[in-house]
Amino acid sequence: MTIDEAASAIGRTSPDVAVQGLASLLAEWKLNADNVDELRGQVERYIGNSWISAQR
């Protein structure tokens, strides 16, 4: 699975703003100069500061 496929798969799981933001964060990561350790930190901060709705 590529980073684009992962971002797309995450984005399809829910219309929740936090989920869509995480998908965007992943998709945009490959466009900047951050390494994978910086991505991990960004994802941890993003998830740690977000509430994902459990509504289905």
Side-chain angles (χ1 to χ4, degrees), residues 11 19 25 27-28 30 32 37 39 42 53:
V19 174
L25 185 135
E28 293 168 6
K30 68 182 220 175
N32 62 37
D37 290 323
L39 173 63
Q42 291 171 0
S53 174

Side-chain angles (χ1 to χ4, degrees), residues 2-4 14 17 21-23 25 27 29-30 33-34 39 45 49 55:
T2 68
I3 196 77
D4 290 327
S14 171
V17 173
L22 179 59
L25 185 135
W29 170 73
K30 68 182 220 175
D34 293 346
L39 173 63
R45 282 190 299 278
N49 293 316
Q55 295 177 336

Side-chain angles (χ1 to χ4, degrees), residues 35-56:
N35 64 37
V36 73
D37 290 323
E38 292 165 330
L39 173 63
R40 179 187 50 81
Q42 291 171 0
V43 170
E44 286 177 355
R45 282 190 299 278
Y46 189 85
I47 291 174
N49 293 316
S50 300
W51 294 96
I52 298 173
S53 174
Q55 295 177 336
R56 295 184 188 251

